[in-house]
Amino acid sequence: MNLITVMFYLMAVIAICSGLYVAASKNLVRSVFMFFITLFALAGIYVLCLADFVAVTQVVVYVGGILVLILFAFMLSGRESLAGVEGQENKLINLSKVPALLLSALFLIVLVNIYFKADVDGLPWIANAVRTGDTFAPTTVVINNLGVTLMTRYLLPFEAVSVLLLMALVGAAHLSRKEEGATS
Amino acid sequence: MITLTHYLVLSAALFCIGLFIILSKRNAIQILIGIELMLNAAILNLVAFGRFDKMNNGGQTFALFAIVLAAASTAVALAIVLNVYRRYRTIDPGKIDQLKDR
């Protein structure tokens, strides 16, 4: 049991426990802050997958996005909109959550069952990649190859994503200032 | 050595937590958090499989794309939530029952 395994299980336990806390908490602000911890634990797991650049992007982009989310949560969830929710959730055994719990637990059982039956580690292309040395080693420099492939092989998805990002931001700005001019 | 099945089981657990949040919460922002959790589970799968693709970098590239698109969709969804709150004075999805202007 070396250090990497210990780190993986630590990160996995942190991610799952904070995710469960997000699901169980009645306090909106507290659940948002616990979601931060889930994202950071997932970034650590990406580092263990030897994907440093993805981990850094996760921290930068998601922390920016989630900060906006916290601001909106503070502004939108006033006292009156949260009052009905808290009165509904105060009971210990909440009957309205049983179908959701049942559905997600069954889905988890089905997914895990499929993963154990599919024998993912013995897939042909993975065995081929291991044989030909196509896997990442801890000493591999990731970012050079990532930049080169992003500009050559994945140029069309890159451009499509940039256009779609522009569209989404313009659309968000338009949606959020539409009612300012007292139209309607 | 951490095998691929560990990552997949962790991703399945996170996905089901996100599914539970989406199905049980009565606040649009918490539902958005659930969607982000499910997206993160999918990105974890991409990254875990991308470890076996050093030449083409397929998994990591599309993980980057998925992160950027999730941020963009969060911006759009928050704008929509803001408009819905202006019009209905609530962000409970169960109480919003029409799409057109009143």
Side-chain angles (χ1 to χ4, degrees), chain A residues 71-78 80-81, chain B residues 29 78 81-82 85 91:
Chain A
L71 284 179
F72 272 83
F74 276 130
M75 285 194 292
L76 289 185
S77 298
E80 69 276 3
S81 74
Chain B
I29 293 176
L78 281 173
V81 165
L82 184 62
Y85 182 74
I91 50 172

Side-chain angles (χ1 to χ4, degrees), chain B residues 46-64:
Chain B
L46 284 177
V47 171
F49 276 104
R51 204 174 42 162
F52 296 96
D53 192 9
K54 191 168 99 178
M55 287 302 135
N56 295 334
N57 270 319
Q60 296 195 9
T61 312
F62 279 89
L64 290 175

Side-chain angles (χ1 to χ4, degrees), chain A:
Chain A
M1 193 139 188
N2 52 0
L3 186 61
I4 292 180
T5 317
V6 174
M7 286 297 285
F8 175 77
Y9 283 117
L10 188 65
M11 297 283 185
V13 166
I14 288 173
I16 289 179
C17 288
S18 58
L20 283 176
Y21 189 86
V22 170
S25 170
K26 288 174 222 156
N27 195 340
L28 176 61
V29 180
R30 201 169 282 170
S31 75
V32 168
F33 277 112
M34 287 307 275
F35 186 58
F36 259 125
I37 297 178
T38 312
L39 290 180
F40 276 116
L42 275 171
I45 288 175
Y46 295 163
V47 171
L48 290 183
C49 282
L50 307 174
D52 312 341
F53 189 66
V54 180
V56 173
T57 313
Q58 160 101 356
V59 170
V60 171
V61 174
Y62 262 115
V63 165
I66 301 301
L67 269 180
V68 177
L69 212 101
I70 286 179
L71 284 179
F72 272 83
F74 276 130
M75 285 194 292
L76 289 185
S77 298
R79 193 180 293 266
E80 69 276 3
S81 74
L82 279 182
V85 179
E86 282 183 354
Q88 197 258 343
E89 284 183 356
N90 264 341
K91 289 173 289 188
L92 189 62
I93 301 170
N94 202 337
L95 200 60
S96 70
K97 280 188 180 174
V98 170
L101 191 61
L102 202 64
L103 187 59
S104 48
L106 283 178
F107 200 72
L108 179 65
I109 290 171
V110 168
L111 273 181
V112 171
N113 202 4
I114 286 173
Y115 288 155
F116 279 117
K117 286 231 173 79
D119 187 21
V120 191
D121 296 304
L123 283 178
W125 70 272
I126 287 179
N128 194 15
V130 169
R131 203 179 60 244
T132 56
D134 201 8
T135 61
F136 281 103
T139 54
T140 313
V141 179
V142 182
I143 301 178
N144 290 344
N145 196 11
L146 195 61
V148 169
T149 50
L150 199 64
M151 279 295 128
T152 54
R153 178 180 287 266
Y154 300 110
L155 190 58
L156 184 63
F158 186 73
E159 293 295 329
V161 160
S162 65
V163 170
L164 202 143
L165 194 58
L166 181 67
M167 280 165 57
L169 290 181
V170 170
H174 176 71
L175 270 179
S176 54
R177 66 184 286 275
K178 190 177 175 186
E179 304 252 332
E180 292 281 333
T183 54
S184 79

